[in-house]
Amino acid sequence: MPGLCRSDPNNEGAAAPGPSSSERRTFNSTARLRTDSVKKSRPLFPWFGMDIGGTLVKLVYFEPKDITAEEEQEEVENLKSIRRYLTLNTAYGKTGIRDVHLELKDLTLCGRTGNLHFIRFPTQDLPVFLQMGRDKHFSSLHTTLCATGGGPTSLKLHKLDELECLIRGVLYIDSVMPRECYYFENPTDPDHCVERPYPLENPYPMLLVNIGSGVSILAVYSENNYKRVTGTSLGGGTFLGLCCLLTGCSSFEDALEMASEGESTRVDKLVRDIYGGDYERFGLPGWAVASSFGNMMSKEKRETVSKADLARATLVTITNNIGSITRMCALNENIERVVFVGNFLRVNTLSMKLLAYAMDYWSKGQLKALFLRHEGYFGAVGALLELLHSS
Amino acid sequence: MYAEHAASTSAHTMDKSIILPPDEIFRNLENAKRFAIDIGGSLTKLAYYSTVQHKVAKVRSFDHTAKEAHSDKLYEISVQEEVTARLHFIKFENTYIETCLDFIKDHLVNTETKVIKATGGGAHKFKDLIEKKLGLKVDKEDEMTCLIKGCNFVLRNIPHEAFVYTKHADSEFRFQTTHPDIFPYLLVNIGSGVSIVKVESEDKFERIGGSSIANLPTPALMFSYFGQRFDELLQLASKGQHTSVDMLVKDIYGGSYGSLGLTGDLIASSFGKSATADKEFPKEDMAKSLLHMISNDIGQLACLYAKLHNLSRVYFGGFFIRGHPVTMHTITYSINYFTKGEVQALFLRHEGYLGAIGAFLKGAEEDNPNQYRWVENYAGSSGLMSVSPDMNPMQRARSGTFDMLEMDRLERQLVKLPLLQDPSSYIPDTVDLTEDALAREYWLFCFEDALDGVVQRAVASQPDLPEAPERAEKFRQKYRHKLQTLRHQPFAYGSLTVRSLLDTREHCLNEFNFPDPYSKIKQRENDLALKYYLKAVKALEKLEWEDRQLALVSGVLAGNVFDWGAKAVSDVLESDPEFGFEEAKRQLEERPWLVDCYDQWFERLKGPPHRCALFFVDNSGVDIILGVIPFVRELLSRGTEVVLASNSGPALNDVTNGELQILTERIAAMDPVIQSGLRDERLMLVQSGSSSPCLDLSRLDKVLATLVRERKTDLVIIEGMGRAIHTNYYAMLSCESLKMAVIKNSWLADRLGGKLFSVVFKYEVPAGKPSQDCSASIPL
């Protein structure tokens, strides 16, 4: 749900930063010799792209590193302080976090060189964030902070198409960041399951599965030709919501931590729990889940499972359900390449491996699950690109 | 994994107190064999086969050459014992299992049974108990195979088995006419796990998806948090508001997401709000949210599978559904949303019995049960009970005790009439009383009102049997109870129609050994009418051709006024036995009739004769003898062959095939035209396969269908209110057809814009043929 921050909506006609390799983050001389016209059509700093999701707000911030002495002088004090505040800290307030490991350095964007920072904070803290902006006198910068949803009525809204931003963001980051895309080799063999880079040079057609609070599944045939195939309300928000109710945990990280220590087979009823082994009539292996949470119907078993087991079972259920719907969509759309993005996958190797496994196993190797390092930030990146494009 | 694991928490404490008298539940145990049992997490379903002895009325011609003439009656009526096959299915809570087994053991006389087929998740648990109590060896059958077998069986044998559920419609249940070809279909069984099975033929099916593949959230998830009984959870859910727990599209976007067509109220993230606050959520809200989540998810997957396999019929069953309006609604909603209405969620009336039926069929394979047609016995079956808490109190008392399904074997094969224009869209019944509340109210009243008369006639039909009044009283109670049930739950036996009300009455009469309450009345009427036959024929022969044609039609219509089935007429007949044929003609409405295609019919008669006419006849006495036979005689004279189709078994005063055989023989003895017709097989008598005052053209005796095809039938005549108005009024045939009836019910006459004894004479020529079609048609 990307909104974007833009400083001056009247600047039109800048070159669109497409996913061309010439714009790789090299410090290139043509970029330095900026013409006046480029300078004029470029939006004023600060350059933000924002994606307001159901659970998290994702913010990307471009920090120009090629500021000339002249510019340094021109730069108003407030802008300077924002730049310093954002780039010198990795945590903002109580809940804002900068994902330092994702930072893209020496990036050339719209003729300027700088670093791209990735920041996130809970959507419920959006008012706090905005207050902070006000405290730091954002308004004096003539900045229009654009956000979707309720909340910041004091700010001008500029709503962008979420899916368009997402796709642009994916394509752009993949073009500027080597080894952005990867997959798991031998997903069905836990001992030999390893991460391998995947060159996403010719990505079409692909199924793009965005797992945020909910899930959107897109079939992408080219940069501008895509459709939303379907979606499900059972996403990351469901995992966290159910985990909070079942285990009393309070954060995504806690929930994942717990899940990593739990055992879902104590909660789920497996085929072998019923048939003593494989169910041959239907070719079901004994380890397959016959009933998610099936053991929880027995009072005794309810009393023996740990919170970690419940967290794990919730994670497995939600993940596999997404996998299953994705697989059916891939079959219906006749697409073999599936790219999973979204913040549900952040620090969630468990789910990624499960998805990789499910895609491979149930399709008998036909489907390939791909992942991207910047998981949840593509919408925000797309929003930033849109700002530069439309200015 | 497929069954009802979602069990009661207080499971299996043996309760010895059975609420209903068990001999009314486990009926006909004396001859029972081929037991099968399906034990789920909370419900047990028992199946067995038995033979039922009941009385049937037979007619036998007297030997008229013999000197000692038995009064002057045409034929004698005798009541004989006949043995028919019946399937019994009983559903009860697991708590009663031991009591029930004891009862069965005590009453099981037949000892040739050695094995009981068992299926369901609980079969293993109760294996020892069953073997110990019954002394039968428990033979386990695969659950999914049983389920599919059972599903095929009900779809094939029960016309209104499947329905769509619409919560806010006038009639929540809309029953589907079973497509002649039931395959392929998708069966989604939702128990504690979920199975999605593609069924392509009787033996070919494949589990294409479900919880083991998808690992989707199942109803079991509900227990991990609530630890409550499933039914209680549904009750909770029906009171909850999911919007406090779920994150909606409008929570994120402030409204709808127009470009994606997502409305603001759509759930963006199930339980998405329960992670953000430290607050407590009401249980009701969470239960509702879970219910939505699970229903939507299963619905979505079912749609994806249906799309991938190109299937349009998707049936839902299992513990999760079990007739719960709440889950049927959420599943229906989900399917509608995800397929944009392309696929309908279908539910089954006997969904709970599928496993038991399948297990039974597995055990009875050597009897070839699939070779026969079976018909739901309305007298012995409980009908669809909803477990909705806001249903009527009578039903609430019923649910949770015992539920029964009984099916009778038909001794002859039934097939569809080859002359139906579109068999897949044919619906016999003209008015669906489940949807038409006004008509429902009237007919239920009408049948209740007529009950006294039926009881009296039943008693009168068996003057030699002193216990007849007692049995008749039991019949009254049973049928009245059925009417009461139907008043509250019109959907109990599929679409409620005048036909089903009539059939239910016949089933109840048979149940209490009143096989033919009208036998003596029919006999007397036939005797009387026969005396006037020659006179009537001679009078007709004197008429000019043109006048005769109208007189013949008027004769059939006037004869049709004689109908003991219609209350208005039976009152007149009973008070004035002299009410004669001529009087009936005078009572008839003047032309133009309410529906009057006579001119077109008359024009048609000037053309070449029909090759062969199929005539579905109605009543005994004046109707058949003075109305129908002269009409048939004229057809024969024109060179048209005639197939007379009459009921296989008795219903009201309708002439049965047995009676008609005797009548035509007697007429043939007087009338050379009929005699030569019979001799040369230009006049043929066949049984319709039905014992109903109405007519279902998709279930007719196979011999009839074969004959119709062989003789290249090009005219179908349907006579009487039951067959031509209550049913088949809109039936489209691929050949010419005549529908003739006199409206003998003032309410119906009023509704049709006519009056008592208004005439319907509908002549239709199928589209595409040189048409003199009569456009007159009244909306019913």
Side-chain angles (χ1 to χ4, degrees):
Chain A
M1 298 102 213
L4 75 105
C5 304
R6 48 191 282 176
S7 45
D8 186 354
N10 296 321
N11 285 347
E12 303 275 1
S20 83
S21 52
S22 68
E23 271 205 321
R24 292 246 160 174
R25 43 186 187 122
T26 49
F27 208 85
N28 103 23
S29 56
T30 50
R32 276 194 178 189
L33 302 170
R34 303 180 296 276
T35 64
D36 280 359
S37 69
V38 169
K39 193 178 171 184
K40 263 186 186 165
S41 62
R42 215 165 27 219
L44 293 173
F45 289 123
W47 290 357
F48 282 117
M50 186 156 77
D51 175 0
I52 306 173
T55 314
L56 286 176
V57 175
K58 281 76 67 177
L59 190 70
V60 295
Y61 168 65
F62 183 77
E63 172 207 359
K65 294 294 258 186
D66 55 352
I67 296 174
T68 57
E70 184 192 359
E71 276 178 319
E72 183 93 36
Q73 263 182 349
E74 283 174 17
E75 192 175 31
V76 290
E77 200 53 40
N78 291 331
L79 184 56
K80 206 174 286 171
S81 75
I82 286 170
R83 180 156 59 88
R84 293 216 174 104
Y85 176 70
L86 287 176
T87 55
L88 292 176
N89 293 299
T90 58
Y92 314 97
K94 279 183 186 146
T95 54
I97 285 165
R98 180 153 64 88
D99 283 313
V100 185
H101 67 286
L102 293 178
E103 181 180 337
L104 294 181
K105 291 205 167 76
D106 300 333
L107 193 69
T108 303
L109 197 54
C110 216
R112 296 300 297 256
T113 302
N115 298 341
L116 200 55
H117 298 279
F118 297 87
I119 297 159
R120 62 186 151 88
F121 55 88
T123 304
Q124 61 186 12
D125 294 338
L126 187 59
V128 179
F129 170 83
L130 296 171
Q131 188 55 47
M132 188 183 81
R134 271 192 290 274
D135 293 348
K136 296 185 186 300
H137 305 289
F138 256 56
S139 51
S140 65
L141 297 169
H142 311 286
T143 299
T144 314
L145 178 65
C146 313
T148 57
T153 45
S154 60
L155 296 155
K156 200 172 161 190
L157 220 75
H158 186 90
K159 196 163 151 181
L160 296 172
D161 186 84
E162 172 182 351
L163 304 183
E164 208 162 290
C165 286
L166 177 68
I167 292 166
R168 286 195 176 194
V170 167
L171 295 173
Y172 175 73
I173 295 291
D174 182 67
S175 73
V176 297
M177 164 80 189
R179 302 171 76 90
E180 170 71 15
C181 182
Y182 60 98
Y183 70 102
F184 290 94
E185 199 175 68
N186 307 317
T188 52
D189 179 358
D191 297 333
H192 300 94
C193 178
V194 280
E195 214 180 287
R196 293 264 183 250
Y198 184 90
L200 200 61
E201 275 150 10
N202 183 16
Y204 309 114
M206 70 168 159
L207 210 59
L208 185 58
V209 183
N210 187 25
I211 317 174
S213 308
V215 182
S216 274
I217 300 180
L218 319 179
V220 187
Y221 300 98
S222 75
E223 190 182 343
N224 298 311
N225 181 12
Y226 62 87
K227 65 173 179 187
R228 185 178 188 272
V229 180
T230 189
T232 164
S233 68
L234 282 80
T238 316
F239 162 65
L240 184 54
L242 283 176
C243 259
C244 290
L245 294 173
L246 290 170
T247 70
C249 71
S250 57
S251 75
F252 184 65
E253 287 77 7
D254 285 354
L256 279 184
E257 177 71 29
M258 257 200 260
S260 69
E261 290 157 9
E263 186 60 67
S264 63
T265 53
R266 284 204 279 265
V267 178
D268 295 338
K269 188 170 269 178
L270 306 185
V271 168
R272 66 162 175 259
D273 294 336
I274 298 172
Y275 294 95
D278 298 350
Y279 186 8
E280 278 158 26
R281 173 67 184 81
F282 290 107
L284 294 177
W287 52 260
V289 177
S291 166
S292 303
F293 286 80
N295 284 339
M296 294 303 93
M297 285 181 301
S298 135
K299 195 161 180 281
E300 305 87 71
K301 290 201 170 141
R302 269 206 299 277
E303 280 156 5
T304 60
V305 294
S306 68
K307 287 184 171 184
D309 295 337
L310 286 170
R312 178 65 163 248
T314 309
L315 185 73
V316 170
T317 297
I318 297 294
T319 305
N320 277 337
N321 187 55
I322 294 168
S324 181
I325 292 173
T326 301
R327 198 171 59 82
M328 292 306 296
C329 290
L331 283 171
N332 275 330
E333 301 300 321
N334 202 16
I335 295 177
E336 290 178 358
R337 203 181 288 110
V338 184
V339 181
F340 291 95
V341 297
N343 265 331
F344 175 64
L345 301 174
R346 194 175 61 78
V347 296
N348 188 358
T349 317
L350 222 52
S351 286
M352 285 194 279
K353 284 190 174 171
L354 267 174
L355 287 170
Y357 180 101
M359 290 301 114
D360 188 86
Y361 182 86
W362 295 110
S363 75
K364 300 187 174 70
Q366 283 294 296
L367 292 175
K368 198 170 210 74
L370 305 172
F371 303 93
L372 299 174
R373 298 203 189 282
H374 285 82
E375 289 128 4
Y377 283 108
F378 299 107
V381 171
L384 172 64
L385 297 174
E386 190 62 29
L387 158 76
L388 302 175
H389 172 68
S390 61
S391 310
Chain B
M1 72 204 257
Y2 309 107
E4 304 154 358
H5 286 296
S8 62
T9 41
S10 64
H12 322 314
T13 45
M14 301 303 175
D15 188 343
K16 288 274 180 184
S17 61
I18 276 187
I19 294 159
L20 294 178
D23 56 337
E24 282 184 19
I25 298 157
F26 301 101
R27 308 192 324 146
N28 305 309
L29 270 176
E30 306 75 43
N31 306 304
K33 58 174 186 173
R34 305 219 179 286
F35 281 84
I37 196 163
D38 173 10
I39 308 177
S42 62
L43 291 173
T44 297
K45 280 80 65 171
L46 185 79
Y48 56 94
Y49 168 99
S50 78
T51 47
V52 187
Q53 252 196 347
H54 57 156
K55 297 199 163 39
V56 287
K58 294 273 180 192
V59 289
R60 193 173 66 88
S61 189
F62 283 118
D63 183 359
H64 286 273
T65 56
K67 286 276 186 264
E68 7 78 72
H70 301 257
S71 69
D72 50 355
K73 289 200 171 72
L74 274 178
Y75 54 83
E76 65 173 338
I77 307 159
S78 63
V79 172
Q80 296 171 10
E81 295 283 334
E82 198 180 68
V83 174
T84 55
R86 187 174 287 181
L87 301 184
H88 299 259
F89 303 99
I90 302 106
K91 186 162 73 181
F92 51 89
E93 291 196 354
N94 285 355
T95 43
Y96 297 125
I97 201 162
E98 196 167 355
T99 323
C100 291
L101 292 175
D102 281 339
F103 182 86
I104 292 164
K105 180 67 193 164
D106 292 346
H107 291 78
L108 196 60
V109 184
N110 186 327
T111 49
E112 73 185 53
T113 300
K114 299 265 188 294
V115 182
I116 181 166
K117 290 281 177 187
T119 189
H124 185 73
K125 192 170 179 176
F126 289 99
K127 182 172 180 281
D128 292 342
L129 184 72
I130 297 167
E131 294 194 335
K132 193 181 93 203
K133 291 274 179 195
L134 294 185
L136 300 176
K137 187 179 165 294
V138 170
D139 194 2
K140 277 206 77 175
E141 286 292 336
D142 175 66
E143 220 172 316
M144 189 50 67
T145 309
C146 291
L147 208 57
I148 303 293
K149 271 195 171 300
C151 192
N152 293 340
F153 186 82
V154 293
L155 285 175
R156 204 179 289 117
N157 288 286
I158 302 182
H160 285 157
E161 180 59 33
F163 61 88
V164 294
Y165 183 82
T166 325
K167 191 181 176 186
H168 299 295
D170 286 343
S171 123
E172 291 167 85
F173 299 78
R174 259 196 305 120
F175 293 93
Q176 309 287 297
T177 40
T178 307
H179 197 272
D181 190 5
I182 60 170
F183 305 110
Y185 65 86
L186 202 63
L187 179 67
V188 182
N189 195 56
I190 316 170
S192 62
V194 180
S195 291
I196 301 176
V197 185
K198 175 186 175 185
V199 186
E200 287 176 282
S201 72
E202 186 60 45
D203 299 307
K204 194 174 173 212
F205 55 90
E206 186 190 356
R207 189 175 188 280
I208 53 175
S211 42
S212 36
I213 294 171
N215 197 196
L216 58 158
T218 59
L221 174 58
M222 293 181 150
F223 290 86
S224 54
Y225 188 73
F226 296 98
Q228 227 158 347
R229 286 180 67 124
F230 180 66
D231 291 0
E232 290 162 9
L233 277 178
L234 287 187
Q235 285 222 24
L236 276 183
S238 60
K239 289 177 230 147
Q241 284 292 327
H242 74 103
T243 50
S244 68
V245 185
D246 290 343
M247 187 183 285
L248 307 186
V249 165
K250 68 180 171 203
D251 292 328
I252 302 174
Y253 296 95
S256 66
Y257 195 146
S259 64
L260 292 181
L262 305 176
T263 59
D265 288 328
L266 212 65
I267 304 170
S269 175
S270 296
F271 286 89
K273 283 182 192 161
S274 65
T276 53
D278 296 328
K279 65 173 177 180
E280 288 275 309
F281 294 91
K283 271 193 166 187
E284 288 84 356
D285 294 359
M286 287 192 290
K288 178 89 164 201
S289 176
L290 261 177
L291 178 67
H292 276 302
M293 177 176 103
I294 288 162
S295 300
N296 284 338
D297 196 50
I298 293 170
Q300 179 172 27
L301 268 172
C303 292
L304 287 166
Y305 279 106
K307 189 179 169 197
L308 187 66
H309 293 267
N310 203 18
L311 301 169
S312 59
R313 274 169 283 171
V314 185
Y315 300 102
F316 287 86
F319 189 82
F320 185 67
I321 305 289
R322 225 166 8 105
H324 278 297
V326 186
T327 52
M328 288 197 291
H329 172 65
T330 52
I331 288 281
T332 301
Y333 181 88
S334 166
I335 294 283
N336 281 344
Y337 174 78
F338 285 111
T339 69
K340 297 176 182 76
E342 276 173 37
V343 173
Q344 279 188 320
L346 295 166
F347 304 94
L348 300 171
R349 213 148 55 82
H350 297 103
E351 172 267 314
Y353 287 109
L354 301 187
I357 294 174
F360 168 81
L361 292 172
K362 284 292 276 184
E365 260 161 6
E366 62 193 71
D367 293 342
N368 269 327
N370 265 331
Q371 203 182 49
Y372 297 96
R373 280 287 212 142
W374 299 82
V375 62
E376 182 179 8
N377 187 307
Y378 295 137
S381 304
S382 316
L384 182 69
M385 293 290 154
S386 169
V387 287
S388 162
D390 29 84
M391 280 292 180
N392 77 87
M394 185 173 73
Q395 179 204 308
R396 212 183 318 160
R398 282 282 320 283
S399 69
T401 52
F402 291 83
D403 190 271
M404 287 167 285
L405 165 66
E406 293 185 8
M407 296 183 80
D408 289 319
R409 189 171 82 191
L410 298 173
E411 299 309 311
R412 301 172 65 99
Q413 284 221 37
L414 297 185
V415 296
K416 64 174 192 289
L417 180 71
L419 296 170
L420 283 175
Q421 217 172 64
D422 178 15
S424 61
S425 68
Y426 169 72
I427 298 168
D429 306 285
T430 307
V431 178
D432 184 345
L433 301 181
T434 15
E435 288 177 15
D436 189 334
L438 217 63
R440 177 170 74 235
E441 204 174 307
Y442 169 73
W443 286 112
L444 284 169
F445 162 78
C446 183
F447 277 86
E448 180 128 29
D449 195 43
L451 192 50
D452 283 341
V454 178
V455 169
Q456 277 166 28
R457 231 163 286 126
V459 175
S461 72
Q462 298 179 351
D464 309 331
L465 299 174
E467 41 38 277
E470 196 186 315
R471 264 187 293 125
E473 199 48 45
K474 281 186 181 162
F475 154 75
R476 184 211 300 275
Q477 281 169 18
K478 182 119 196 173
Y479 190 57
R480 181 169 287 161
H481 182 259
K482 293 277 168 197
L483 291 175
Q484 275 164 4
T485 305
L486 287 166
R487 190 162 282 136
H488 295 293
Q489 287 153 217
F491 48 80
Y493 298 94
S495 285
L496 182 66
T497 59
V498 174
R499 176 167 63 114
S500 71
L501 285 168
L502 283 163
D503 290 354
T504 305
R505 193 165 71 187
E506 296 299 328
H507 289 179
C508 291
L509 280 166
N510 277 322
E511 188 63 37
F512 294 99
N513 275 324
F514 292 106
D516 193 358
Y518 289 86
S519 56
K520 293 213 161 53
I521 293 164
K522 288 190 286 184
Q523 188 187 36
R524 195 179 78 213
E525 263 195 78
N526 285 334
D527 284 345
L528 277 169
L530 213 55
K531 292 199 175 81
Y532 292 101
Y533 176 74
L534 277 182
K535 197 176 158 199
V537 167
K538 281 196 180 111
L540 285 163
E541 274 181 339
K542 279 191 198 122
L543 296 173
E544 292 296 316
W545 185 83
E546 283 86 355
D547 297 337
R548 190 163 68 241
Q549 301 316 312
L550 181 59
L552 284 166
V553 168
S554 303
V556 172
L557 294 166
N560 198 242
V561 173
F562 285 82
D563 184 353
W564 287 82
K567 196 170 185 304
V569 179
S570 60
D571 286 349
V572 176
L573 277 173
E574 220 138 16
S575 63
D576 179 13
E578 296 302 312
F579 184 82
F581 191 40
E582 294 307 316
E583 175 63 22
K585 277 186 187 164
R586 277 194 293 276
Q587 288 270 3
L588 271 192
E589 177 189 29
E590 291 282 318
R591 286 195 66 200
W593 296 316
L594 185 57
V595 176
D596 193 337
C597 304
Y598 178 76
D599 292 342
Q600 289 80 2
W601 170 245
F602 182 69
E603 283 305 308
R604 172 64 187 84
L605 287 177
K606 291 178 185 163
H610 296 93
R611 259 193 316 270
C612 175
L614 168 66
F615 201 134
F616 288 98
V617 300
D618 190 6
N619 309 312
S620 320
V622 176
D623 188 338
I624 182 78
I625 295 167
L626 303 181
V628 173
I629 299 289
F631 189 93
V632 166
R633 196 174 179 275
E634 182 78 9
L635 285 173
L636 288 170
S637 309
R638 278 169 61 81
T640 302
E641 296 178 343
V642 180
V643 178
L644 278 183
S646 51
N647 267 7
S648 304
L652 296 177
N653 64 331
D654 292 3
V655 64
T656 63
N657 189 50
E659 290 157 356
L660 192 54
Q661 299 274 3
I662 297 170
L663 292 181
T664 43
E665 271 169 39
R666 284 303 308 277
I667 292 169
M670 305 185 261
D671 184 348
V673 178
I674 299 297
Q675 191 179 39
S676 68
L678 285 173
R679 188 190 56 222
D680 306 340
E681 288 188 346
R682 286 183 296 111
L683 173 59
M684 291 148 284
L685 307 182
V686 290
Q687 49 177 301
S688 65
S690 152
S691 304
S692 162
C694 294
L695 180 65
D696 179 353
L697 294 175
S698 64
R699 286 161 81 90
L700 292 174
D701 195 274
K702 199 175 179 181
V703 174
L704 183 154
T706 312
L707 196 58
V708 158
R709 211 178 276 117
E710 278 171 11
R711 297 295 169 121
K712 298 190 170 62
T713 302
D714 54 355
L715 173 65
V716 174
I717 305 168
I718 307 175
E719 185 211 2
M721 228 163 68
R723 291 175 184 79
I725 306 285
H726 293 318
T727 54
N728 298 309
Y729 187 75
Y730 297 120
M732 302 289 282
L733 297 163
S734 59
C735 66
E736 290 171 54
S737 64
L738 265 184
K739 291 162 190 169
M740 291 191 265
V742 178
I743 313 292
K744 287 161 291 190
N745 171 293
S746 46
W747 182 86
L748 184 62
D750 208 42
R751 195 173 220 224
L752 302 179
K755 53 190 193 311
L756 200 62
F757 301 124
S758 277
V759 167
V760 170
F761 185 88
K762 198 177 181 189
Y763 169 61
E764 287 165 303
V765 179
K769 300 211 170 156
S771 169
Q772 301 155 317
D773 202 4
C774 163
S775 56
S777 181
I778 42 169
L780 283 171

